[in-house]
């Protein structure tokens, strides 16, 4: 009976469960259908709203552009009315939108700008399709302020005749103030793209979080994983025809509605995407309310069923909780193990990467140190090796500074230091590191510089060196013994007259890379894996670091490679051109007005002429020695003799023709032989009278230095030095240094400069010695920081607190291995005059001492 009752209750329970499941299923189907219908309707409505929002932004931008065009036409009329249009232009002051106004007279190529500088249309590209209210609008570019801008060109008409063209430069940042703060709860992404260059020129504030750092349309494709050729083809067709396009595509694993919305008949595009979640947010809210109502009904419906099965569910719940606890505990243990493994791998990778980066310049330091010991009796080579050791040491020091800068490592931020530098010094320092590495593997290292108009530039030389050394050291490592490596610097067409556009190429005929690896070469911790390259050590961080630095500088990098044929890296960068590059007075004082360049390659000869263009020196070229001999004889016959001859020995090497050229010159003009770094016949070339060596590639600064050496009687000296900082003769110093080796080095350096230095071991002894000294006994105090008994900060504060007259005026210079910014601030706050990080740069030390004494 009991068994039958239990069976009956069980059957009822099953029937009840089946009924509940059936009702729940029907209700779920109804709710799902209603929710789906609402979502579709809401999505269609949201897409319509998005189109309207984009049309509003489009109208706003076009209104701004039209207003700018109308105002520029009014300006052109005012310029036509002015008695002197140039004065009208100069009187104009820039606004938040218009940063520069320029005027070029009809029939002229140059004019005046509101900034006072000479203005030309070079660098501005006006496409036929770029017309706004009858005015030509240029392709977007980066202006002198480093901001994306565009220019509009308007004719100035007076008495029915065009007398000039008025150019006004506008910046895209001015659009930002007129655009909305964002839409779709700031979850949508919006960029403004120049249609001709497909570069992103503005990201309005509040328009989404810029995680990918998009620079152009191709970068937008790559960051959002848009690889479908059909989609790309449709986008290209729309951009070409000035049409709008919307398409669905996943962005960061989330479905999104992507759009490209035309502005000003296709000259500008609004580019971005809206997550589908944001579009369907309103529909989700409605569906959630429906689900809440249904849930309340289901809760009431299930109440009896829950009470009926309470005991069994309670037991199952307890069992599941125990299983969940065990699963959570196991998961936590697995996560802890995984985290420990990641930490260990990261440590290993970091140390391996630092080993790679530090060993590169250290190889040059050790190599040239070994050569220095062998050639200690040759002062020329000693100076050359010392210079290269110094360059490698400086690069090594910069790497160590980056390693020790914890804030940079944690945040991943790198700040560019823009300073004046020369291409010749940069090429020389890179060559000093890479050439010994290539020579050790019997590789040929070729250096070429062509079509560069300016060798003095503004930029972060240290970061550029880091890019070059990463690329070239990899080329050395992944090229077999006896291979070739080419390092080229090529001047490209300037986008702006204020910037030098340079392409850097690093090519090798080494192992090459597979197409699969090329897709991930710029990802961190990736290396090519095959039987040939597995023996090459590396962390795979070099290319990722290089790409980040290139993009930080606003440049681009790409690579092409083929297995067993080699690789080619191309880096494009733009550097600001400093003013007053040419030193014409030097050439006038040196008596050099005409130079003959004997160069078998026409392109190299033209490159020399281009680099010497602004010096005021006339440069003629000859393709061979016989032609050069005729030109020299003709020049002397008409009274226009050459004061200097540049002779490319790599192409034209022949001592017989050199002797004939020297006879024609009558030893009145020196001959400088242009030779490669690894040529082995320099001693033969220097046997002749009035001859010297100038290493390739050709730079004006190197030529200027060599001419100065010759005229100063230092024919074989490699470096032209000027004593700008004076010397330390007769000065007396009190120094605190607890390290015996550092103290010995400091005393020896100051002794070589003719100065006296009294060294004590800690800050307490410095304080006591200063108290017991007479006023004027010491000229400055050189203070270490980390010392026993009393550190440098405490000693400095104690000295400054003394009642002596010279206690507050005595120069105190911090010389410490604590190189962080915080350490410098603490030294200055303690009362020190200046902070110098170890290892001490003697030239910088002399300059600082000269300044404060």
């Amino acid at each position: 009976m009991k068994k039958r009752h239990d069976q009956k209750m069980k059957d009822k329970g099953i029937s009840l469960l089946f009924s509940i499941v059936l009702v729940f299923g029907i209700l779920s189907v109804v709710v799902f259908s209603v929710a789906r219908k609402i979502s579709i309707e809401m999505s269609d409505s949201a897409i319509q709203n998005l189109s309207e929002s984009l049309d509003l932004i489009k109208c706003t931008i076009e209104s701004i552009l039209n207003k700018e065009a109308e105002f520029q036409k009014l300006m052109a009329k005012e310029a036509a009315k002015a008695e002197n249009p140039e004065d009208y232009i100069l009187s104009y002051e820039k606004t938040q939108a218009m940063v520069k106004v320029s005027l070029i007279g009809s029939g002229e190529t140059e004019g005046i700008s509101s900034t006072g500088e000479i203005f030309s249309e070079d660098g501005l590209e006006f496409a036929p399709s770029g017309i706004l209210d009858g005015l030509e609008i240029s392709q977007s570019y980066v202006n002198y302020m480093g901001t994306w801008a565009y220019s509009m060109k308007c004719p100035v008409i007076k008495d029915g005749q065009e007398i000039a063209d008025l150019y006004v430069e506008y910046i895209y940042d001015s659009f930002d103030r007129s655009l909305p703060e964002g839409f779709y709860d700031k979850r949508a992404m919006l960029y403004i793209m120049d249609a001709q260059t497909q570069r992103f020129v503005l990201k309005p504030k509040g328009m989404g979080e810029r995680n990918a750092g998009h620079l152009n349309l191709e970068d937008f494709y790559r960051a959002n994983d848009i690889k479908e050729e059909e989609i790309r083809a449709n986008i290209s067709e729309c951009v070409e025809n000035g049409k709008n396009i919307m398409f669905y595509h996943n962005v960061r694993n989330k479905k999104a509605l992507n759009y490209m919305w035309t502005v000003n008949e296709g000259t500008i595009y609004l580019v971005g995407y809206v997550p589908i979640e944001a579009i369907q947010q309103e529909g989700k809210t409605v569906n959630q309310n429906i689900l809440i109502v249904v849930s309340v009904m289901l809760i009431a419906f299930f109440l009896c069923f829950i009470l009926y099965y309470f005991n069994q569910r309670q037991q199952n719940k307890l069992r599941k909780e125990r299983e969940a606890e065990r699963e959570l505990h196991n998961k936590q243990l697995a996560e802890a193990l995984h985290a420990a493994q990641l930490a260990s791998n990261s440590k290993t990778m970091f140390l391996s990467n630092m080993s790679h980066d530090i060993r590169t310049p250290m190889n040059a330091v050790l190599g040239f140190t070994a050569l220095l010991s062998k050639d200690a009796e040759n002062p020329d080579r000693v100076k050359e090796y010392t210079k290269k050791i110094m360059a490698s040491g400086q690069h090594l020091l910069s790497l160590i500074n980056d390693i020790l800068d914890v804030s940079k490592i944690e945040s991943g931020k790198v700040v560019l230091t823009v300073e004046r530098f020369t291409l010749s010094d940069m090429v020389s320092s890179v060559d000093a590191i890479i050439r010994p590495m290539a020579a050790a593997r019997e590789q040929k290292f070729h250096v070429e510089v062509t079509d560069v108009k300016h060798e003095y530039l503004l930029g972060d030389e240290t970061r550029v060196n880091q890019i070059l050394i990463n690329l070239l050291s990899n080329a050395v490592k992944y090229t077999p013994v006896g291979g070739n490596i080419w390092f080229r610097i090529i001047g490209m067409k300037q986008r702006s007259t204020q910037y030098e556009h340079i392409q850097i190429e690093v090519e090798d005929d080494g192992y090459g890379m597979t197409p699969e690896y090329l897709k991930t070469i710029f990802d961190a911790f990736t290396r090519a894996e095959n039987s040939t390259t597995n023996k090459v050590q590396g962390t795979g961080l070099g290319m990722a670091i290089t790409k980040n630095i290139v993009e930080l500088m606003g440049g681009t990098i790409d690579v092409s490679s083929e297995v067993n044929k080699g690789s080619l890296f191309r880096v494009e960068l733009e550097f600001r051109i400093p003013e007053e590059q040419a030193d014409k007075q030097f050439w006038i004082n040196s008596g050099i007005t005409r130079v003959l360049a004997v160069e078998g390659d026409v392109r190299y000869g033209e490159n020399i002429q281009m680099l010497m263009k602004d010096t005021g020196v006339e440069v003629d070229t000859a393709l061979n020695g016989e032609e050069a001999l005729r030109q020299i004889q003709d020049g002397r016959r008409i009274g226009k003799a050459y004061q200097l001859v540049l002779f490319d020995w790599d192409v034209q090497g022949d001592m017989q023709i050199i002797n004939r050229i020297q006879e024609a010159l009558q030893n009145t003009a020196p001959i400088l032989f242009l030779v490669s770094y690894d040529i082995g016949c320099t001693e033969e070339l220097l046997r002749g009278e009035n001859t010297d060596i100038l290493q390739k590639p050709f730079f004006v600064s190197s030529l200027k230095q060599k001419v100065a050496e010759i005229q100063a009687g230092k024919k074989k000296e490699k470096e032209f030095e000027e004593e700008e900082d004076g010397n330390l003769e007769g000065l007396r110093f009190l120094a605190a240094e607890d390290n015996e080796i550092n103290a010995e080095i400091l005393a020896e350096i100051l002794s070589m400069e003719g100065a006296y230095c009294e060294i004590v071991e800690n800050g307490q002894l410095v304080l006591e010695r200063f108290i017991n000294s007479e006023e004027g006994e010491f000229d400055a105090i050189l203070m270490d920081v980390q010392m026993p008994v009393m550190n440098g900060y405490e000693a400095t504060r104690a000295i400054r607190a003394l009642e002596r007259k010279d206690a507050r005026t005595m120069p105190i210079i911090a010389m410490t291995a604590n190189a962080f910014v915080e350490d410098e601030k603490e030294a200055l706050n303690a009362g020190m005059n200046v902070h110098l990080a170890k290892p001490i740069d003697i030239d910088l030390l002399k300059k600082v001492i000269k300044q404060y004494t």
Side-chain angles (χ1 to χ4, degrees):
M1 184 73 180
K2 184 177 180 181
K3 185 175 180 181
R4 183 181 301 174
H5 180 268
D6 291 342
Q7 182 66 34
K8 186 176 182 180
M9 292 298 295
K10 183 177 180 181
D11 293 339
K12 288 183 178 179
I14 293 174
S15 300
L16 178 61
L17 178 62
F18 177 80
S19 300
I20 292 174
V21 171
L22 180 61
V23 172
F24 178 76
I26 295 173
L27 189 58
S28 297
V29 170
V30 173
V31 172
F32 177 80
S33 300
V34 173
R36 179 174 178 82
K37 181 178 180 182
I38 293 175
S39 297
I40 293 174
E41 293 176 353
M42 288 292 183
S43 296
D44 294 339
S45 177
I47 293 173
Q48 181 65 29
N49 292 338
L50 174 60
S51 300
E52 293 174 359
S53 299
L54 292 174
D55 282 335
L56 179 60
I57 296 175
K58 167 188 175 180
C59 293
T60 302
I61 295 176
E62 289 180 345
S63 177
I64 294 173
L65 293 172
N66 289 326
K67 291 296 182 183
E68 291 174 347
E70 291 176 6
F71 186 75
Q72 187 166 341
K73 289 180 179 179
L74 292 176
M75 291 176 62
K77 292 180 179 180
E78 292 296 327
K81 294 177 183 180
E83 294 181 3
N84 190 339
E86 293 186 353
D87 291 340
Y88 173 78
I89 296 301
L90 291 173
S91 66
Y92 186 82
E93 296 182 359
K94 71 177 183 179
T95 66
Q96 292 180 339
M98 297 185 292
V99 297
K100 185 168 68 173
V101 179
S102 307
L103 187 74
I104 298 179
S106 296
E108 297 179 358
T109 59
E110 293 184 345
I112 190 69
S113 175
S114 59
T115 59
E117 60 186 357
I118 296 175
F119 175 80
S120 69
E121 194 177 316
D122 293 342
L124 297 178
E125 295 185 15
F126 291 90
S129 60
I131 303 297
L132 178 65
D133 196 14
L135 303 186
E136 294 184 61
I137 184 170
S138 75
Q139 179 179 312
S140 302
Y141 58 90
V142 179
N143 65 7
Y144 70 97
M145 299 186 299
T147 303
W148 279 102
Y150 60 94
S151 293
M152 283 196 286
K153 178 180 178 182
C154 177
V156 179
I157 300 175
K158 184 175 183 181
D159 297 331
Q161 183 178 2
E162 182 176 342
I163 62 172
D165 287 321
L166 177 68
Y167 299 79
V168 179
E169 179 176 290
Y170 304 89
I171 58 175
Y172 281 99
D173 289 347
S174 62
F175 290 168
D176 209 3
R177 293 182 293 275
S178 302
L179 297 180
E181 286 291 335
F183 51 99
Y184 286 100
D185 196 23
K186 297 185 178 181
R187 297 174 66 184
M189 180 66 72
L190 173 66
Y191 289 94
I192 296 179
M193 181 187 79
D194 180 82
Q196 295 183 20
T197 63
Q198 297 187 355
R199 295 289 294 247
F200 289 169
V201 296
L202 178 65
K203 176 186 177 294
K205 61 179 181 291
M207 294 297 182
E209 183 178 0
R210 185 175 181 174
N211 292 329
H214 307 141
L215 299 176
N216 51 40
L217 187 58
E218 188 64 29
D219 192 28
F220 183 80
Y221 289 157
R222 182 170 58 254
N224 297 321
D225 203 28
I226 300 177
K227 300 178 180 178
E228 293 82 351
E229 294 296 331
E230 182 178 356
I231 294 178
R232 291 195 176 197
N234 291 336
I235 293 175
S236 299
E237 181 181 357
C238 290
V239 172
E240 183 177 353
N241 297 324
K243 295 182 180 179
N244 302 330
I245 185 173
M246 283 188 179
F247 60 94
Y248 288 98
H249 194 277
N250 290 346
V251 176
R252 299 187 184 90
N253 298 323
K254 293 183 179 180
K255 191 174 182 181
L257 179 60
N258 295 256
Y259 61 86
M260 294 188 66
W261 216 252
T262 177
V263 179
N264 191 34
E265 299 181 355
T267 59
I268 299 174
Y269 267 84
L270 304 177
V271 181
Y273 59 84
V274 182
I276 297 300
E277 294 178 353
I279 294 178
Q280 297 178 343
Q281 187 62 44
E282 296 179 0
K284 286 184 178 179
T285 303
V286 175
N287 291 336
Q288 287 174 357
N289 293 333
I290 295 176
L291 289 175
I292 291 174
V293 175
V294 174
S295 299
V296 172
M297 295 174 61
L298 288 175
I299 289 172
F301 188 77
F302 276 109
L303 183 59
C304 295
F305 179 78
I306 293 173
L307 293 174
Y308 182 81
Y309 289 102
F310 178 81
N311 289 331
Q312 184 177 357
R313 288 173 61 86
Q314 188 69 20
Q315 292 176 1
N316 291 336
K317 182 179 179 181
L318 293 175
R319 178 177 55 81
K320 290 179 179 180
E321 286 179 352
R322 288 193 294 268
E323 292 177 354
E325 289 179 358
R326 286 196 298 269
E327 183 178 351
L328 178 62
H329 182 67
N330 293 334
K331 183 179 180 181
Q332 290 175 343
L333 290 176
E335 289 177 350
L337 177 62
H338 182 62
Q341 291 173 341
L342 286 178
S344 178
N345 293 338
S346 298
K347 174 184 175 182
T348 303
M349 290 179 180
F350 177 77
L351 292 177
S352 299
N353 182 56
M354 289 305 102
S355 174
H356 166 269
D357 286 348
I358 291 175
R359 286 175 184 273
T360 300
M362 182 60 73
N363 177 68
V365 172
L366 296 177
F368 282 115
T369 303
L371 294 175
L372 192 63
S373 63
K374 295 181 180 180
D375 296 325
E377 303 301 326
N378 189 332
D380 292 334
R381 294 194 175 181
V382 167
K383 290 183 178 180
E384 179 183 356
Y385 296 156
T386 304
K387 178 181 177 182
K388 293 179 178 180
I389 290 173
M390 181 64 70
S392 301
Q394 291 296 334
H395 176 65
L396 180 62
L397 181 60
S398 68
L399 289 175
I400 295 174
N401 287 336
D402 283 344
I403 297 171
L404 296 178
D405 195 341
V406 179
S407 62
K408 288 183 181 179
I409 295 175
E410 290 182 348
S411 65
K413 296 180 180 178
V414 178
V415 179
L416 296 179
T417 303
V418 179
E419 295 177 341
R420 181 186 176 102
F421 72 95
T422 64
L423 286 178
S424 60
D425 290 342
M426 183 185 73
V427 172
S428 178
S429 61
V430 171
D431 186 274
I433 295 174
I434 300 301
R435 190 169 295 277
M437 297 171 57
R441 293 174 59 83
E442 299 179 6
Q443 297 166 343
K444 294 182 180 179
F445 184 43
H446 311 275
V447 181
E448 300 177 9
V449 179
T450 56
D451 300 331
V452 178
K453 297 179 181 178
H454 305 88
E455 63 173 289
Y456 292 93
L457 301 170
L458 292 176
D460 193 330
E461 183 180 8
T462 301
R463 296 301 174 188
V464 177
N465 280 344
Q466 189 173 356
I467 293 172
L468 298 178
I469 291 173
N470 276 346
L471 296 176
L472 288 168
S473 61
N474 278 348
V476 172
K477 288 192 302 180
Y478 292 101
T479 300
V481 174
N484 291 272
I485 298 168
W486 292 269
F487 170 35
R488 307 183 188 97
I489 298 180
I490 304 169
M492 308 292 288
K493 181 181 179 181
Q494 292 178 262
R495 299 189 180 102
S496 170
T497 55
Q498 297 174 340
Y499 287 85
E500 182 77 26
H501 185 191
I502 290 178
Q503 178 175 285
I504 298 170
E505 292 185 353
V506 174
E507 184 178 6
D508 63 70
D509 54 3
Y511 305 128
M513 293 171 280
T514 63
E516 293 76 17
Y517 177 64
L518 285 176
K519 298 177 182 179
T520 61
I521 184 173
F522 295 115
D523 296 339
F525 304 109
T526 57
R527 288 185 60 238
E529 297 292 340
N530 58 56
S531 60
T532 305
T533 62
N534 278 345
K535 60 185 179 181
V536 180
Q537 298 297 318
T539 62
L541 284 172
M543 289 298 99
I545 294 172
T546 299
K547 185 175 187 294
N548 288 335
I549 296 175
V550 169
E551 293 182 347
L552 184 64
M553 292 181 173
T556 60
I557 181 172
D558 60 73
V559 57
S560 59
S561 182
E562 191 172 345
V563 176
N564 296 327
K565 290 188 177 180
S567 305
L568 172 61
F569 287 85
R570 286 191 178 95
V571 177
E572 287 196 25
L573 295 170
E574 286 188 318
F575 297 99
R576 184 72 180 270
I577 301 170
E579 298 179 359
E580 300 179 1
Q581 292 224 7
D583 186 3
K584 296 183 179 180
Q585 192 60 41
F586 170 82
W587 302 102
I588 295 174
N589 295 339
S590 300
I592 296 178
T593 59
R594 297 193 74 203
V595 172
L596 177 61
V598 186
E599 178 58 68
D601 192 319
V602 176
R603 187 168 55 122
Y604 288 156
E606 293 175 349
N607 187 63
I608 294 174
Q609 288 178 319
M610 179 177 62
L611 290 174
M612 294 289 291
K613 179 180 179 182
D614 296 331
T615 62
V617 178
E618 180 183 352
V619 179
D620 296 331
T621 61
L623 293 176
N624 51 58
E626 295 293 341
E627 183 180 344
L629 187 60
R630 288 194 299 271
Q631 290 184 234
I632 293 171
Q633 293 170 345
D634 293 342
R636 297 191 66 86
R637 191 163 42 248
I638 63 176
K640 292 185 177 181
Y642 295 102
Q643 292 85 34
L644 180 66
V645 175
L646 301 175
F647 199 98
D648 188 347
W649 185 257
D650 293 345
V651 180
Q652 303 290 328
D654 185 352
M655 288 306 300
Q656 293 182 354
I657 193 65
I658 293 299
N659 295 332
R660 294 172 61 190
I661 290 176
Q662 285 180 319
E663 292 176 1
L665 292 172
Q666 299 178 0
N667 287 327
T668 58
I671 300 177
L672 297 183
F673 295 101
L674 298 174
V675 299
S676 300
Y677 278 88
D678 51 0
I679 192 171
C681 60
T682 55
E683 296 181 358
E684 178 184 359
L685 299 179
L686 293 174
R687 291 174 184 171
E689 296 183 9
N690 214 8
T691 61
D692 211 325
I693 299 297
L694 186 63
Q695 288 184 327
K696 292 182 179 178
F698 175 84
F699 289 105
V700 176
S701 58
S702 301
L703 176 61
K704 179 179 175 182
Q705 177 178 322
K706 183 61 65 175
V707 170
E709 289 177 3
I710 294 174
Q711 294 187 349
K714 302 176 182 178
K715 185 174 181 180
K716 296 182 180 180
E717 192 170 319
K718 293 294 181 182
E719 193 166 338
F720 176 58
E721 300 177 354
E722 291 182 356
E723 289 294 337
E724 296 177 343
D725 301 328
N727 56 59
L728 309 180
E729 186 73 32
L731 296 182
R732 297 175 59 85
F733 299 97
L734 175 61
E737 177 58 71
D738 62 328
N739 185 283
E740 294 181 3
I741 295 178
N742 291 342
E744 181 180 352
I745 293 174
L746 178 62
E748 186 64 26
I749 290 176
L750 293 176
S751 176
M752 292 170 59
E753 296 294 330
Y756 169 78
C757 181
E758 181 176 335
I759 301 177
V760 295
E761 296 178 355
N762 56 61
Q764 180 65 39
L765 296 177
V766 168
L767 176 61
E768 294 174 358
R769 182 66 181 89
F770 180 74
I771 294 174
N772 296 327
S773 67
E774 298 180 359
E775 288 192 14
E777 182 176 348
F778 295 108
D779 295 289
I781 297 177
L782 308 178
M783 185 75 74
D784 193 6
V785 172
Q786 291 186 351
M787 295 179 293
V789 184
M790 178 183 286
N791 64 39
Y793 302 138
E794 295 171 348
T796 300
R797 293 189 182 96
I799 291 174
R800 296 303 190 201
L802 296 175
E803 298 297 330
R804 289 178 48 151
K805 180 179 179 180
D806 60 346
R808 296 184 179 275
T809 60
M810 172 64 67
I812 301 179
I813 301 171
M815 295 196 307
T816 173
N818 297 345
F820 295 134
V821 175
E822 294 78 7
D823 299 316
E824 182 176 358
K825 291 181 179 178
E826 187 172 359
L828 299 178
N829 292 336
M832 299 184 186
N833 297 87
V834 70
H835 176 279
L836 297 180
K838 294 180 180 178
I840 296 299
D841 185 334
I842 184 60
D843 293 329
L844 181 58
L845 176 62
K846 289 166 60 178
K847 183 182 296 184
V848 169
I849 292 175
K850 192 70 176 179
Q851 177 182 353
Y852 287 98
T853 59

